[in-house]
C-alpha cells in the first residue's frame, strides 16, 4: 500500500518549502505537477506532495511532521 498527501503552506512558496525539506533530507514533490489548471482554480502557484510507501517507517512520518512544524513556525 501507498499513500499520498498534497498540501500548501499559507504564505510560503512551494519551492521554498521543498528546499527547506530537502535540507532536512526529506524528499517531497513541489510545483504544479502537470495540473496547472487546478492550481490556478485554487489560486495557488503549486502544491507540495508527500508519497509514503511500505518502505517508510513510523519514525519517518514522525520526522516529517516534526520538520514541517519547524519550517512553518
Amino acid at each position: 500500500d501507498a499513500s499520498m498527501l498534497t498540501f500548501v503552506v499559507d504564505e510560503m512558496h512551494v519551492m521554498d518549502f521543498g528546499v527547506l525539506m530537502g535540507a532536512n533530507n526529506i524528499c517531497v514533490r513541489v510545483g504544479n505537477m502537470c495540473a496547472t489548471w487546478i492550481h490556478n482554480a485554487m489560486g495557488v502557484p503549486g502544491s507540495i506532495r508527500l508519497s509514503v510507501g511500505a518502505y517508510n517507517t513510523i519514525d519517518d512520518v514522525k520526522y516529517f511532521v516534526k520538520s514541517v512544524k519547524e519550517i512553518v513556525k
Side-chain angles (χ1 to χ4, degrees):
D1 286 331
S3 297
M4 180 175 32
L5 172 68
T6 302
F7 61 99
V8 296
V9 176
D10 287 340
E11 299 184 26
M12 180 179 283
H13 196 281
V14 296
M15 297 295 184
D16 294 334
F17 185 86
V19 167
L20 294 170
M21 290 300 278
N24 285 316
N25 294 316
I26 299 173
C27 294
V28 292
R29 174 108 190 253
V30 296
N32 67 26
M33 294 168 243
C34 301
T36 303
W37 65 273
I38 192 71
H39 290 102
N40 287 342
M42 293 172 25
V44 296
S47 58
I48 304 152
R49 185 175 75 202
L50 171 71
S51 299
V52 180
Y55 48 84
N56 293 108
T57 66
I58 294 297
D59 287 339
D60 292 336
V61 175
K62 288 178 181 177
Y63 182 64
F64 172 80
V65 170
K66 177 181 175 267
S67 297
V68 171
K69 286 179 178 180
E70 290 174 359
I71 289 170
V72 299
K73 68 176 178 176

